[in-house]
């Protein structure tokens, strides 16, 4: 389906380190199918890598609302929280 195709295209762009283009595809996949948790997770990973911890955590929370068994999202959420706290402790 279209949402899966957009997510997969976003993955290719992510692996090419084309983060802005990947996020566009993930967001388009979400708009096509709002209950598809994978593009939220993938977009959260990009946001995390860019240091946008609050936005990444929002996406990881959405993943877990849609699929509480999504273990990678739970782990990524915990890591984003830890890294945000570390960043704040260092005064960034």
């Amino acid at each position: 389906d279209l949402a899966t195709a957009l997510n997969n295209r976003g993955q290719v762009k992510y692996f090419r380190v084309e983060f802005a283009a990947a996020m566009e595809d993930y967001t388009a996949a979400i708009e096509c199918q709002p209950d598809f948790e994978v593009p939220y997770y993938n977009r959260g990973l990009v946001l995390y890598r860019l240091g946008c911890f609050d936005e990444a955590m929002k996406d990881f929370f959405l993943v877990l609302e849609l699929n509480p068994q999504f273990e990678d999202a739970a782990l990524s959420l915990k890591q984003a929280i830890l890294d945000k706290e570390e960043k704040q402790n260092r005064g960034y």
Side-chain angles (χ1 to χ4, degrees):
D1 64 38
L2 181 58
T4 300
L6 288 165
N7 180 72
N8 292 345
R9 188 173 73 179
Q11 283 294 95
V12 171
K13 293 174 182 176
Y14 175 81
F15 291 129
R16 292 181 182 163
V17 195
E18 298 170 5
F19 292 149
M23 283 186 36
E24 288 176 13
D25 283 343
Y26 297 143
T27 300
I30 290 164
E31 290 169 355
C32 281
Q33 190 176 341
D35 61 344
F36 182 26
E37 71 271 18
V38 176
Y40 289 102
Y41 175 71
N42 290 332
R43 187 174 68 181
L45 289 178
V46 173
L47 290 164
Y48 172 83
R49 289 200 53 190
L50 294 174
C52 302
F53 299 122
D54 289 330
E55 294 88 346
M57 289 186 293
K58 286 178 190 173
D59 275 349
F60 297 143
F61 274 122
L62 285 168
V63 172
L64 294 170
E65 285 179 13
L66 293 167
N67 180 358
Q69 305 306 313
F70 201 124
E71 291 183 26
D72 286 344
L75 292 171
S76 295
L77 175 59
K78 288 178 186 175
Q79 191 61 53
I81 291 168
L82 289 172
D83 289 353
K84 179 184 175 185
E85 289 173 359
E86 179 68 23
K87 184 178 177 181
Q88 288 173 334
N89 289 340
R90 291 184 177 192
Y92 295 136

